[in-house]
Amino acid sequence: MANFNLNKVVLGGRLTDNPELKQTSQGTSVTTFTIAVNRRYAKTSDAQPSADFISCVAWRQSAEFICKYFRKGSSICVTGSIQTRTWSDQNGQKRYATEVVVDESYFVDSKSDAPRGDYSQSQAPAYATEPTEAPKFEELSNDDDLPF
C-alpha cells in the first residue's frame, strides 16, 4: 500500500481580534490570530450555538495582506495546514501548541459589510473590488433557430 499523507485545512469564520504584524529577528513578517468558527448544532429547542476558536499563523506576504485588510470581526476564509509544536517553558514544563499555518486568505464580506479600517480602493487588490458594470449580451429576437 502506498504511503499517503494529506494535511489541508479550510476555515471560514470571524477574526476575534485585530491582527498585528510583527517581524522576526531576520525581518520576516508574521502575524498570529484566532478565527471563531461556528459549530453545527442539533436542531432541538434547547441547543445553543457554539464556536471553536482556531489559532492561526501567517508568514510573509500572507501576514502583510491579513494585517492590512482584516480587522476584529471581519469574516475571513483561510487555507493552510495544521502544525503542532512542543517546547519547554521557563519552569521546565512541556508545552504544546496546535495551529493552522495559513497559505492563502480570502475576503468573505462585501466591502460595505467589512469593518472600517485603512482599506481603500487604491489599496485594494484587483479581486477585492466589485465589477464596474455588467457585461453586455446580444439579445436574440427569434428562438426558432435554436437546436433544443
Side-chain angles (χ1 to χ4, degrees):
M1 181 175 220
N3 186 6
F4 179 74
N5 296 302
L6 179 64
N7 184 352
K8 185 74 171 180
V9 175
V10 179
L11 294 173
R14 294 194 178 271
L15 291 177
T16 62
D17 208 350
N18 288 334
E20 183 181 335
L21 189 64
K22 296 182 180 180
Q23 304 286 323
T24 65
S25 57
Q26 293 81 23
T28 305
S29 299
V30 62
T31 188
T32 58
F33 55 95
T34 302
I35 299 176
V37 180
N38 289 335
R39 285 187 185 175
R40 291 184 175 184
Y41 57 96
K43 295 180 181 180
T44 62
S45 61
D46 62 340
Q48 296 295 316
S50 61
D52 291 305
F53 297 88
I54 312 294
S55 297
C56 300
V57 60
W59 296 89
R60 299 173 185 79
Q61 291 88 356
S62 290
E64 293 166 7
F65 175 78
I66 290 167
C67 290
K68 187 172 186 178
Y69 294 110
F70 294 90
R71 298 287 172 260
K72 179 179 181 178
S74 295
S75 289
I76 190 170
C77 179
V78 298
T79 64
S81 57
I82 294 177
Q83 171 181 282
T84 58
R85 299 181 289 123
T86 61
W87 71 97
S88 295
D89 67 12
Q90 296 173 350
N91 300 326
Q93 297 291 318
K94 198 167 194 174
R95 300 290 181 179
Y96 302 90
T98 301
E99 58 200 359
V100 173
V101 178
V102 175
D103 294 327
E104 300 170 315
S105 56
Y106 304 95
F107 292 106
V108 177
D109 286 331
S110 67
K111 287 194 304 186
S112 61
D113 294 337
R116 297 267 185 235
D118 64 352
Y119 187 88
S120 71
Q121 188 67 25
S122 62
Q123 298 169 329
Y127 57 86
T129 61
E130 296 177 19
T132 55
E133 71 178 61
K136 305 276 191 262
F137 292 100
E138 180 182 336
E139 190 171 323
L140 298 175
S141 60
N142 188 354
D143 291 343
D144 293 339
D145 295 335
L146 295 176
F148 49 89

